Amino acid sequence: SILSLDLHAARARIAALPWVERVEIERRLPGQLKIRVVERTPVARLRRRGYVSLVDKTGVEIDTRVRGDRRFTHLPILSGDSAASAAPALMKLLSRHPKLGRRVLAARYQGRRRWDIKFDTGVVLMLPERHVAESWDRFVLYAARHGLLNRKARHIDMRMHDRMVIRLEQQEAPKAPPAKNKKRRRKGGNG
C-alpha cells in the first residue's frame, strides 16, 4: 500500500547507491510515488592499488569498476595518498582556467600536501603547498605569454613562491662524424 510505504527507508536505500547524489520521494495520492534522483557527475578517475574508480566534485568515490571503461578516458587520473579528499580543491583550481584545465591528463598528490600536474604535452607542473591558486594563475599567464607547454620543458617547478624553475628535456649530444680510415704513409729514407 502506498500509505504504508516507509518513505524515509526507501529514500535511504536509494541514497545508498554509489551514483546517487540526492534523492527526493513524495507520495501522490491516490496511487503514485514521485521519485527525483540527482546522479553524481564524475570529474576524475582515481588510481589506487589494483583498481581505478571515479570521483565526483566533492571527492566521493562513485564506482570502482571503470578500469577498462572507455567512456571515462577523457577524465584526468588522480593518484597519491588522500587524493580523493583533495580532489575538490584541485577541481576548483583547474576550473579557474578551464581551457588549460582541460589539458590536464593526470595529477599526483604528493605527501598529502601538494599536487604535481601532468599536461597533454608531457610537461609536469609542480605546484607549491601554499599559495596554490596564485601559483596556478601565474603559471597560466606565463604559459600563454611564453608557450611553456609547447617548449621542450620536462618539469616546471613552482614550489618556491618567488620563482619558477624550468627543467628542459635532455637533448642528445651531437654525434661525431665517422672517423675516416686513412692509411698514414711512413716517411722513410726510400721515399
Side-chain angles (χ1 to χ4, degrees), residues 92-128:
K92 184 178 178 184
L93 181 74
L94 297 180
S95 69
R96 291 170 64 103
H97 303 281
K99 186 176 179 182
L100 202 56
R102 285 190 293 273
R103 295 186 66 182
V104 172
L105 292 181
R108 178 156 184 77
Y109 198 49
Q110 300 286 2
R112 296 181 179 183
R113 58 190 171 78
R114 61 168 209 82
W115 289 99
D116 284 352
I117 296 175
K118 184 175 183 179
F119 291 93
D120 55 2
T121 58
V123 173
V124 175
L125 172 64
M126 302 163 81
L127 287 171

Side-chain angles (χ1 to χ4, degrees), residues 176-182:
K180 294 183 180 177
N181 196 3
K182 290 184 178 179

Side-chain angles (χ1 to χ4, degrees), residues 31-32 35 42 62 84 89 92 115 119 134 149 180:
Q32 291 182 337
I35 302 174
I62 301 172
K92 184 178 178 184
W115 289 99
F119 291 93
E134 182 182 322
L149 293 178
K180 294 183 180 177

Side-chain angles (χ1 to χ4, degrees), residues 127-163:
L127 287 171
E129 184 176 353
R130 295 187 183 102
H131 309 291
V132 181
E134 182 182 322
S135 296
W136 173 249
D137 292 343
R138 195 165 30 127
F139 170 75
V140 170
L141 178 69
Y142 292 161
R145 274 191 193 159
H146 305 291
L148 293 179
L149 293 178
N150 300 328
R151 295 183 177 235
K152 297 289 183 187
R154 182 179 234 33
H155 290 90
I156 300 173
D157 190 344
M158 296 186 76
R159 291 178 291 176
M160 291 181 277
H161 181 66
D162 62 339
R163 65 192 70 180

Side-chain angles (χ1 to χ4, degrees), residues 15-174:
L17 297 171
W19 279 89
V20 175
E21 182 176 338
R22 212 171 43 246
V23 63
E24 298 170 4
I25 301 178
E26 294 178 14
R27 265 185 258 264
R28 295 270 172 110
L29 296 176
Q32 291 182 337
L33 284 176
K34 181 181 178 185
I35 302 174
R36 183 173 181 260
V37 175
V38 176
E39 287 188 351
R40 295 185 185 281
T41 303
V43 295
R45 294 174 287 165
L46 178 67
R47 181 178 290 146
R48 301 242 181 158
R49 292 179 192 102
Y51 69 92
V52 176
S53 63
L54 296 175
V55 177
D56 77 350
K57 65 183 177 187
T58 63
V60 172
E61 288 187 59
I62 301 172
D63 196 346
T64 60
R65 299 163 293 156
V66 296
R67 187 175 197 103
D69 197 330
R70 296 189 182 275
R71 292 177 298 164
F72 304 108
T73 56
H74 67 285
L75 298 175
I77 296 175
L78 307 182
S79 61
D81 289 341
S82 302
S85 61
L90 176 66
M91 293 303 133
K92 184 178 178 184
L93 181 74
L94 297 180
S95 69
R96 291 170 64 103
H97 303 281
K99 186 176 179 182
L100 202 56
R102 285 190 293 273
R103 295 186 66 182
V104 172
L105 292 181
R108 178 156 184 77
Y109 198 49
Q110 300 286 2
R112 296 181 179 183
R113 58 190 171 78
R114 61 168 209 82
W115 289 99
D116 284 352
I117 296 175
K118 184 175 183 179
F119 291 93
D120 55 2
T121 58
V123 173
V124 175
L125 172 64
M126 302 163 81
L127 287 171
E129 184 176 353
R130 295 187 183 102
H131 309 291
V132 181
E134 182 182 322
S135 296
W136 173 249
D137 292 343
R138 195 165 30 127
F139 170 75
V140 170
L141 178 69
Y142 292 161
R145 274 191 193 159
H146 305 291
L148 293 179
L149 293 178
N150 300 328
R151 295 183 177 235
K152 297 289 183 187
R154 182 179 234 33
H155 290 90
I156 300 173
D157 190 344
M158 296 186 76
R159 291 178 291 176
M160 291 181 277
H161 181 66
D162 62 339
R163 65 192 70 180
M164 176 186 293
V165 178
I166 300 174
R167 291 186 214 146
L168 300 177
E169 290 179 354
Q170 294 287 336
Q171 292 184 352
E172 290 184 26

